[in-house]
């Protein structure tokens, strides 16, 4: 794949159904792969504004699964994790939420993802 194709390819996977969520989260769990999940909506301006930041993080940390969940499309998953505002970011390891950030704060999500990765996906203080 050449550089242009690579630049155009999203590193963020979009989950569009509950079954797809189950598949992706089980895959991450079985592989011991940390997950960073962005819960948002296409109509939510702060959520949309965070998409480039989330893409940047995904291209930086290739050993982490970056997932986008549209709360309107996959209500069951948003409800399961008690997502009440957007954007909401969950940092997960072994199917367990280890950190949660609510709101569009590019510097804070970068800091938390970096700390999460540096700790090997351990529980955050």
């Amino acid at each position: 794949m050449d550089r242009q194709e690579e630049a155009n390819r999203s590193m963020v996977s979009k989950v569009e159904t509950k079954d797809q969520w189950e598949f992706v989260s089980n895959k991450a769990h079985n592989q011991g792969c940390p997950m960073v999940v962005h819960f948002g909506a296409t109509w939510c301006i702060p959520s949309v504004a965070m998409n480039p930041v989330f893409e940047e993080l995904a291209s930086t940390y290739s050993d982490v699964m970056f997932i986008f969940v549209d709360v309107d499309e996959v209500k069951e998953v948003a409800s399961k994790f008690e997502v009440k505002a957007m954007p909401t970011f969950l940092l997960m390891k072994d199917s367990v939420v280890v950190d949660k950030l609510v709101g569009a704060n590019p510097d804070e999500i970068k800091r938390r993802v970096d700390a999460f990765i540096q700790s090997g996906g351990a529980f955050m203080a």
Side-chain angles (χ1 to χ4, degrees):
M1 175 181 313
D2 71 22
R3 276 228 175 271
Q4 185 59 39
E5 285 177 314
E6 197 172 300
N8 289 335
R9 197 170 138 244
S10 173
M11 302 301 287
V12 175
S13 299
K14 183 175 182 189
V15 168
E16 297 177 333
T17 66
K18 183 181 178 209
D19 288 343
Q20 192 179 12
W21 169 262
E22 295 295 333
F23 176 81
V24 168
S25 58
N26 286 335
K27 182 178 175 182
H29 178 75
N30 292 337
Q31 294 177 349
C33 180
M35 286 176 49
V36 180
V37 186
H38 173 189
F39 286 91
T42 55
W43 52 263
C44 176
I45 302 302
S47 183
V48 171
M50 288 299 289
N51 287 340
V53 174
F54 202 62
E55 286 284 351
E56 178 186 330
L57 286 166
S59 64
T60 301
Y61 299 103
S62 58
D63 295 343
V64 178
M65 209 178 276
F66 285 82
I67 308 296
F68 177 80
V69 177
D70 187 309
V71 297
D72 293 325
E73 292 178 10
V74 197
K75 291 179 176 134
E76 305 94 341
V77 175
S79 179
K80 175 183 176 181
F81 290 104
E82 300 179 356
V83 173
K84 309 237 186 281
M86 288 146 317
T88 293
F89 298 91
L90 301 182
L91 285 65
M92 302 177 69
K93 177 72 174 176
D94 298 325
S95 302
V96 176
V97 176
V98 297
D99 196 12
K100 180 177 187 174
L101 175 65
V102 178
N105 186 332
D107 293 336
E108 185 64 14
I109 191 63
K110 288 176 185 178
R111 186 188 71 73
R112 291 201 196 181
V113 168
D114 188 55
F116 176 62
I117 302 311
Q118 298 303 321
S119 71
F123 281 91
M124 308 291 282

